[in-house]
Amino acid sequence: MWFAHRATREVGTYRIGFASSQDGRSWLRNDAIAGIDVSADGWDSEMVCYPSVFEHRGCLYMLYNGNGYGETGFGLAMMERD
C-alpha cells in the first residue's frame, strides 16, 4: 500500500510511504522502498502526496500530486525494474 504522510516533525510537508501486509490486518511499514521522494527543484520539490498506483501492460505506474497538494497538476512515475 502506498500512502501520503507527514515526513517528520522537522519536515512539514507530505511524502509518499509504503507498507505491506500478508493478511490485511498487520502491516509492515517501509518508506525506504516507496520508490519516490521530492525532486531537487521544480513542481514537486517541496512535497509529494496522494499516490495512486496501477499496472498497465506489465509496468507499474504512480500518479501523484506535488507542491501545494497538486496546485499545478500531477505527475506520472514509472517503476524501474532491476
Side-chain angles (χ1 to χ4, degrees):
M1 168 178 62
W2 287 267
F3 56 91
H5 69 91
R6 292 265 184 190
T8 66
R9 291 182 184 179
E10 293 80 33
V11 178
T13 59
Y14 284 89
R15 298 294 188 271
I16 293 173
F18 180 81
S20 59
S21 174
Q22 295 294 318
D23 61 9
R25 300 185 92 169
S26 299
W27 291 86
L28 179 60
R29 185 172 172 173
N30 188 347
D31 294 344
I33 64 169
I36 192 166
D37 202 353
V38 294
S39 297
D41 56 32
W43 70 275
D44 62 351
S45 61
E46 298 169 12
M47 67 186 291
V48 288
C49 61
Y50 309 140
S52 178
V53 178
F54 62 96
E55 185 177 354
H56 178 67
R57 294 187 179 181
C59 294
L60 200 59
Y61 295 90
M62 177 188 289
L63 294 167
Y64 67 99
N65 291 88
N67 303 347
Y69 307 96
E71 183 176 357
T72 59
F74 61 90
L76 175 65
M78 185 173 88
M79 182 178 199
E80 294 180 350
R81 301 208 184 250
D82 293 335

